[in-house]
Amino acid sequence: MLRLYGEELLKVIRDAKSLPPTEHPDCLVPPYRSKNKVLSKAVQQAIDEHAREIGIPASVLMRKKWLGQLYEVVALDKDVSELPQGLKGWRNDWVVKTLIPVIKKHKTELQQGMGIRVQ
């Protein structure tokens, strides 16, 4: 990889360093990690219950990637229109009415677990 793309990577880095800070992309939000698993347990319980109700595996109802994106939407107070595409279809009503309120109950823990400073 280094031999194939090393020069190109160095060029991208040099070009990025020459950009003014106003043109830098936003920093990525770190994923949720916490030793206190109250939020994770509450969310998993909501996912498992709904999956049982509609008769599909929990892994089909909610993917780990979507959950991380959902955490970001809630933690940063983004609009629900910014939900991942997979949560906008048939899952949307359940996500908005059930899952987001569960996550919001633990918003402080979520933000701490993502390293977001609350002002």
Side-chain angles (χ1 to χ4, degrees), residues 79-95:
D79 189 75
V80 292
S81 65
E82 296 187 51
L83 287 173
Q85 194 62 38
L87 299 180
K88 289 184 177 180
W90 59 271
R91 297 171 181 89
N92 188 266
D93 192 48
W94 168 73
V95 167

Side-chain angles (χ1 to χ4, degrees), residues 7-44:
E7 282 303 316
E8 183 65 24
L9 286 170
L10 290 172
K11 181 187 177 306
V12 169
I13 291 168
R14 281 191 296 271
D15 292 348
K17 281 185 173 184
S18 68
L19 291 174
T22 56
E23 292 187 34
H24 291 177
D26 292 334
C27 292
L28 295 176
V29 177
Y32 168 72
R33 286 184 172 62
S34 178
K35 292 182 181 179
N36 180 358
K37 298 294 183 185
V38 177
L39 169 63
S40 298
K41 287 179 183 177
V43 168
Q44 193 59 51

Side-chain angles (χ1 to χ4, degrees), residues 84-118:
Q85 194 62 38
L87 299 180
K88 289 184 177 180
W90 59 271
R91 297 171 181 89
N92 188 266
D93 192 48
W94 168 73
V95 167
V96 172
K97 291 181 180 175
T98 304
L99 201 53
I100 288 178
V102 168
I103 297 169
K104 283 185 176 181
K105 286 181 187 175
H106 305 280
K107 188 173 178 178
T108 302
E109 177 193 340
L110 172 64
Q111 290 173 327
Q112 290 172 346
M114 293 176 79
I116 298 171
R117 292 192 181 134
V118 181

